[in-house]
């Protein structure tokens, strides 16, 4: 049995199947609702129920307080419908968002490569093409691992029948340990996508800065390959941060792109290369490399950040000191399951986090 949810203020109506959350139904109908953790602990997906009956599900008392429950607020990542419902959501529709619906896919592992001592490249062949925007991610199910895990797509949308993932081994992480130690070529996996609001705002003018750390290179790789394939004429600079040369993966790819495209510049930075006499590139953190390259002045550009939270925070500070503001900066923090709800909270100052 299904019910209808009406989403205000956009007036969109979608069918919600029995047992399906409001968020799941919305995403599978190409309707974006704000969310972060996806399992009731961060409060990002909070909406107001205007009419109808809703089962709150497993929303935590921290993310949805008793007073809010009494006011008719729910978390759409947990809430299921008991009748036709009308909700009011804080939706800031981005004109560059294509709104491709989330679908389910079966994928076959075609290749697993060692990108660095801690990061593997996993290539999957899909049972059919997936339409997505460069920068988005998928959720993947792994045998013996409870719940789905999110991984950003590293391939451009032009390679629609395959998936390329960059997976860093997380100590104690069930999903990344399985991928690094047990997953093999020929295995089949179930996944869904595309998800996410991290994509290039093509309608906004200004040259582009990408700052990536660790396996956070995946989304910028997809975005840059897509931009260059479309002959985008803006200046594009990629700053890639790693600890040492061994962790600086796909360096040859981006050095080749910089030779082939006059509007693309590649700046790698190593944070632990003080004693590496053979390293002729930037020595220091990746946000410091960006400051040095632009002499601390970033105004007039758009910045896309992807990587672990400490890198994001440092880069955000540097960019804002260099006269970029919230409207100019877009980001995706790479959180692990161990990071929990605390890291899923959004800054009151910076709502794009």
């Amino acid at each position: 049995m299904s019910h209808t949810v009406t989403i205000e203020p956009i007036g969109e109506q979608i069918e919600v199947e029995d047992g399906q959350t409001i968020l799941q139904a919305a995403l599978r109908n190409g309707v974006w609702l704000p969310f972060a953790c996806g399992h009731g602990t961060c409060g990002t997906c909070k909406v107001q129920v205007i009419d109808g009956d809703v089962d709150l599900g497993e929303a935590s008392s921290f993310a949805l307080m008793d007073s809010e429950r009494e006011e008719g607020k729910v978390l759409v990542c947990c809430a299921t419908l008991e009748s036709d419902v009308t909700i009011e959501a804080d939706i800031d529709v981005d004109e560059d968002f294509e709104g491709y619906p989330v679908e389910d896919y079966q994928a076959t592992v075609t290749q697993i490569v060692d990108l660095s001592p801690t990061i593997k490249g996993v290539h999957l062949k899909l049972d059919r093409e997936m339409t997505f925007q460069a920068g988005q991610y998928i959720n993947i199910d792994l045998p013996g691992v409870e719940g789905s895990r999110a991984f950003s797509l590293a391939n451009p949308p032009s390679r629609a029948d395959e998936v390329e993932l960059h997976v860093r081994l997380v100590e104690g992480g069930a999903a990344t340990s399985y991928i690094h130690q047990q997953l093999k070529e020929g295995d089949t996996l179930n996944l869904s996508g595309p998800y996410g609001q991290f994509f290039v705002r093509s309608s906004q003018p200004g040259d582009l800065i990408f700052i990536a750390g660790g396996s956070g290179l995946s989304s910028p790789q997809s975005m840059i390959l897509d931009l260059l394939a479309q002959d985008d004429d803006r200046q594009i600079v990629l700053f890639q941060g790693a600890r040492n040369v061994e962790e600086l993966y796909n360096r040859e790819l981006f050095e080749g792109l910089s030779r082939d495209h006059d509007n693309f510049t590649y700046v790698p930075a190593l944070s632990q290369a003080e004693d590496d006499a053979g390293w002729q590139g930037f020595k220091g953190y990746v946000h410091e490399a960006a400051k040095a390259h632009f002499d601390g002045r970033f105004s007039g550009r758009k910045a896309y950040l992807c990587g672990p939270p400490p890198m994001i925070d440092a880069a955000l500070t540097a960019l804002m000191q260099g006269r970029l503001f919230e409207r100019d900066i877009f980001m995706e923090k790479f959180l692990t399951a161990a990071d929990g709800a605390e890291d899923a909270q959004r800054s009151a100052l910076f709502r794009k986090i």
Side-chain angles (χ1 to χ4, degrees), residues 228-280:
L228 296 178
Q230 296 181 45
D231 295 323
D232 193 294
D233 60 1
R234 286 173 290 184
Q235 290 297 312
I236 303 168
V237 183
L238 168 64
F239 298 93
Q240 182 188 3
R243 291 190 298 260
N244 49 53
V245 172
E246 289 75 20
E247 292 290 346
L248 191 70
Y249 72 93
N250 282 4
R251 175 183 172 188
E252 294 80 5
L253 167 65
F254 294 107
E255 288 177 340
L257 291 174
S258 67
R259 290 192 297 268
D260 295 338
H261 298 273
D262 293 338
N263 65 323
F264 176 68
T265 302
Y266 173 57
V267 182
L270 301 183
S271 61
Q272 297 178 10
E274 296 86 353
D275 300 326
D276 188 348
W279 176 248
Q280 301 301 310

Side-chain angles (χ1 to χ4, degrees), residues 16 50 91 95 100 159 166 173 182 220 247 250 269 283 318 321:
V16 183
I50 299 174
I91 301 176
E95 63 178 296
Y100 298 123
R159 286 157 47 193
H166 300 166
Q182 299 181 58
E247 292 290 346
N250 282 4
K283 295 182 179 181
Q321 289 174 343

Side-chain angles (χ1 to χ4, degrees), residues 1-286:
M1 181 178 180
S2 66
H3 295 290
T4 300
V5 60
T6 302
I7 303 171
E8 300 293 357
I10 60 175
E12 191 81 33
Q13 289 188 328
I14 58 175
E15 292 297 311
V16 183
E17 299 297 330
D18 187 34
Q20 190 178 39
T21 68
I22 298 173
L23 179 61
Q24 289 169 340
L27 294 175
R28 289 178 180 275
N29 283 274
V31 178
W32 180 79
L33 294 174
F35 76 101
C37 73
H39 48 262
T41 58
C42 75
T44 302
C45 66
K46 194 176 300 176
V47 303
Q48 178 71 49
V49 176
I50 299 174
D51 184 57
D53 299 316
V54 174
D55 184 332
L56 298 179
E58 298 182 358
S60 77
S61 57
F62 172 79
L64 190 67
M65 296 182 291
D66 290 341
S67 60
E68 293 176 315
R69 295 169 191 243
E70 293 173 0
E71 294 170 358
K73 291 184 170 61
V74 303
L75 303 182
V76 295
C77 71
C78 298
T80 56
L81 301 190
E82 296 180 334
S83 70
D84 291 346
V85 167
T86 300
I87 63 172
E88 185 174 39
D90 182 15
I91 301 176
D92 185 12
V93 179
D94 193 305
E95 63 178 296
D96 292 307
F97 180 52
E98 298 293 343
Y100 298 123
V102 171
E103 297 182 23
D104 296 316
Y105 300 85
Q106 187 174 77
T108 302
V109 180
T110 57
Q111 187 180 24
I112 302 175
V113 296
D114 292 326
L115 296 175
S116 82
T118 61
I119 299 173
K120 286 189 181 292
V122 180
H123 296 255
L124 307 169
K125 183 74 171 180
L126 300 177
D127 57 354
R128 66 187 189 283
E129 292 189 349
M130 176 192 295
T131 305
F132 67 95
Q133 287 182 264
Q136 291 190 296
Y137 68 91
I138 60 165
N139 281 338
I140 193 166
D141 297 322
L142 296 165
V145 178
E146 183 178 359
S148 299
R149 293 296 190 272
F151 294 100
S152 291
L153 295 159
N155 53 294
S158 58
R159 286 157 47 193
D161 63 343
E162 63 181 80
V163 165
E164 178 185 343
L165 309 176
H166 300 166
V167 182
R168 179 178 65 89
L169 179 62
V170 177
E171 184 177 355
T176 63
S177 294
Y178 182 90
I179 290 172
H180 274 251
Q181 299 165 11
Q182 299 181 58
L183 189 67
K184 60 185 183 299
E185 294 179 6
D187 286 354
T188 59
L189 299 171
N190 294 320
L191 59 88
S192 62
Y195 298 93
Q197 290 283 297
F198 190 56
F199 50 84
V200 174
R201 271 60 179 183
S202 298
S203 66
Q204 298 186 16
D207 293 335
L208 305 174
I209 299 170
F210 292 91
I211 301 179
S215 60
L217 180 65
S218 52
S219 289
Q221 175 176 304
S222 176
M223 297 158 115
I224 290 167
L225 291 173
D226 189 43
L227 287 165
L228 296 178
Q230 296 181 45
D231 295 323
D232 193 294
D233 60 1
R234 286 173 290 184
Q235 290 297 312
I236 303 168
V237 183
L238 168 64
F239 298 93
Q240 182 188 3
R243 291 190 298 260
N244 49 53
V245 172
E246 289 75 20
E247 292 290 346
L248 191 70
Y249 72 93
N250 282 4
R251 175 183 172 188
E252 294 80 5
L253 167 65
F254 294 107
E255 288 177 340
L257 291 174
S258 67
R259 290 192 297 268
D260 295 338
H261 298 273
D262 293 338
N263 65 323
F264 176 68
T265 302
Y266 173 57
V267 182
L270 301 183
S271 61
Q272 297 178 10
E274 296 86 353
D275 300 326
D276 188 348
W279 176 248
Q280 301 301 310
F282 187 88
K283 295 182 179 181
Y285 290 105
V286 68

